[in-house]
Amino acid sequence: MVRSDARENRVRILAAARESFAEDGDTSMNQIAQRAGVGAGTLYRNFPTREALVLAVYKEEVERIIDTVPALLAQMPPIEALRHWTMDLVEAMRRKHGLGDALGAGAHQAIAQQTYGPVIAAITELLDAGKQDGSIRADADPGDFLQLTGALWRAASGPDDRSPRMLALVLDGLRAKPRA
Amino acid sequence: MVRSDARENRVRILAAARESFAEDGDTSMNQIAQRAGVGAGTLYRNFPTREALVLAVYKEEVERIIDTVPALLAQMPPIEALRHWTMDLVEAMRRKHGLGDALGAGAHQAIAQQTYGPVIAAITELLDAGKQDGSIRADADPGDFLQLTGALWRAASGPDDRSPRMLALVLDGLRAKPRA
DNA sequence: TACCGTAGTGGAGAGCTCTCCACTTAGCAA
DNA sequence: TTGCTAAGTGGAGAGCTCTCCACTACGGTA
């Protein structure tokens, strides 16, 4: 049973976070709690890490990106679809705030599992398409890929953006047959 | 000109950090400063991030690993040398504390450049060996590789260690000829 | 030896993250 | 309607990172 006030609080936190992030990506958890009119404890019970909160706030955006998978697969080969999709995600996450450092943090693994679930599902879909037509090696693991991807959105954007090159490297690794 | 007291302070900080890390990897910067008998300001002037300090403390270990490059190259093909070398580094860094999150952090880039310089040099050497004999693509960039590697030592170790699989992926990407 | 410019110091303090637990209250049962 | 009780709350507080700047003292110079 979820109490109604709890549900409302969660909504208020999300709203406050959305507004705060829009104004300044570095807003502190405390500030958000205050703005939402809840205690820090409540904030942390709902979103145990800053990343969880960011991801929840941008859930719609993430879902939008996830939803593009079928279209991408219809338009281009799986590897290219994966490339486009990943760059979209990297772009979106980069504009956001502090996300990415959470990937692979040992703690909160259960929550991460849940939070990243849809993302993993999307990657799985893309990889499977490639495995089906033989363009992606059969032992490719979505979790590995996501984790490697984490390095991309940490990569400095700026003038010399390494991320396309890094992604190309990883994709070529996915394409190659594993060595004997 | 470096004042003698400054030099001594630096040494004292390193000693304190070494002892502290040996007892508990989570020791705070404050505690280390206190143990070294210096103010927090002095600590931060010498080592602007926790990572810089960790890396300085383990400089010898890192140097040891760097020094193994020629031996590895003499014993095995460049790709395998790179694999071994990277896993050694990952192992070492994983046992250490909080290192890895610094990779690619936009700030402190100058210091990072300096700190990671030797590591980059070692990677360059390994990559060059592979380029020479044609086993590694010519456009491989040491910086990209290091950054991707960052994801490895963030990867949860534990029973299901993704890092060898992730590394294999990256190495296969290095091996492959870039797509047309 | 006495002086002085400046490199270097250190710790108070702002502001953060996250925990803990005494308290509040929604919603069920009678 | 009136308890009752566990789900939920919130904010004080421990402890952290990192900055700032008034002060200290090293070491070159005359």
Side-chain angles (χ1 to χ4, degrees), chain B residues 64-78 80-82 84-85 88 122 125-126 129:
Chain B
R64 207 208 67 229
I65 294 178
I66 287 175
D67 287 347
T68 62
V69 168
L72 284 174
L73 281 176
Q75 278 171 40
M76 55 190 88
E80 288 312 307
L82 184 56
H84 271 91
W85 187 86
D88 276 0
E125 198 178 334
L126 286 159

Side-chain angles (χ1 to χ4, degrees), chain A residues 53-97:
Chain A
L53 179 56
V54 173
L55 208 30
V57 167
Y58 292 108
K59 191 160 182 236
E60 284 136 40
E61 183 148 5
V62 170
E63 273 166 2
R64 207 208 67 228
I65 295 178
I66 288 175
D67 287 346
T68 63
V69 168
L72 285 173
L73 281 176
Q75 279 170 40
M76 56 189 90
I79 283 261
E80 288 312 308
L82 184 55
R83 184 196 317 276
H84 271 92
W85 187 86
T86 306
M87 284 312 293
D88 277 359
L89 190 64
V90 168
E91 279 292 299
M93 287 309 127
R94 259 211 207 125
R95 258 174 301 141
K96 307 321 174 204
H97 319 280

Side-chain angles (χ1 to χ4, degrees), chain A residues 1-10 46:
Chain A
M1 244 255 326
V2 181
R3 265 167 51 173
S4 60
D5 56 339
R7 205 169 339 111
E8 272 166 37
N9 270 337
R10 179 169 238 273
N46 280 281

Side-chain angles (χ1 to χ4, degrees), chain B residues 102-118:
Chain B
L103 283 183
H108 309 299
Q109 206 142 23
I111 291 132
Q113 219 73 36
Q114 198 217 328
T115 316
Y116 290 108

Side-chain angles (χ1 to χ4, degrees), chain B:
Chain B
M1 242 248 332
V2 181
R3 265 165 51 173
S4 61
D5 56 338
R7 206 170 335 113
E8 272 166 37
N9 269 338
R10 179 169 239 273
V11 170
R12 267 219 310 294
I13 290 170
L14 277 172
R18 196 185 309 276
E19 289 165 25
S20 300
F21 286 150
E23 288 164 18
D24 174 11
D26 285 346
T27 318
S28 75
M29 294 296 262
N30 269 0
Q31 279 171 289
I32 292 168
Q34 198 150 36
R35 185 165 193 159
V38 305
T42 302
L43 173 52
Y44 277 92
R45 200 160 342 89
N46 279 280
F47 305 100
T49 64
R50 159 173 274 264
E51 285 68 31
L53 178 56
V54 173
L55 208 29
V57 167
Y58 291 107
K59 191 158 182 236
E60 285 136 41
E61 184 148 3
V62 170
E63 273 166 3
R64 207 208 67 229
I65 294 178
I66 287 175
D67 287 347
T68 62
V69 168
L72 284 174
L73 281 176
Q75 278 171 40
M76 55 190 88
I79 283 262
E80 288 312 307
L82 184 56
R83 184 196 316 276
H84 271 91
W85 187 86
T86 305
M87 283 312 293
D88 276 0
L89 190 65
V90 168
E91 280 292 299
M93 287 310 125
R94 256 209 209 128
R95 257 174 301 141
K96 305 324 174 204
H97 320 280
L99 216 163
D101 287 345
L103 283 183
H108 309 299
Q109 206 142 23
I111 291 132
Q113 219 73 36
Q114 198 217 328
T115 316
Y116 290 108
V119 178
I120 290 277
I123 295 176
T124 304
E125 198 178 334
L126 286 159
L127 289 181
D128 282 351
K131 292 178 188 177
Q132 208 95 56
D133 77 0
S135 60
I136 290 179
R137 59 206 277 181
D139 63 347
D141 179 301
D144 293 352
F145 181 80
L146 178 57
Q147 192 126 161
L148 246 11
T149 293
L152 299 192
W153 67 61
R154 228 179 322 267
S157 38
D160 175 26
D161 185 357
R162 308 192 107 92
S163 57
R165 252 166 31 230
M166 288 164 64
L167 179 56
L169 201 62
V170 173
L171 290 178
D172 281 342
L174 281 176
R175 193 195 319 261
K177 295 279 167 274
R179 71 245 79 62

Side-chain angles (χ1 to χ4, degrees), chain A residues 110-177:
Chain A
I111 292 133
Q113 219 74 36
Q114 200 217 326
T115 316
Y116 291 109
V119 178
I120 290 278
I123 295 176
T124 304
E125 198 176 334
L126 287 159
L127 289 181
D128 281 351
K131 291 178 187 177
Q132 210 95 55
D133 77 1
S135 62
I136 289 179
R137 59 205 279 180
D139 64 347
D141 179 301
D144 293 352
F145 181 80
L146 178 57
Q147 192 127 160
L148 247 10
T149 293
L152 299 192
W153 67 61
R154 228 179 321 267
S157 36
D160 175 27
D161 186 356
R162 310 191 106 93
S163 56
R165 250 163 36 227
M166 287 164 65
L167 179 56
L169 200 63
V170 173
L171 289 178
D172 281 342
L174 280 176
R175 193 195 317 262
K177 295 279 169 275

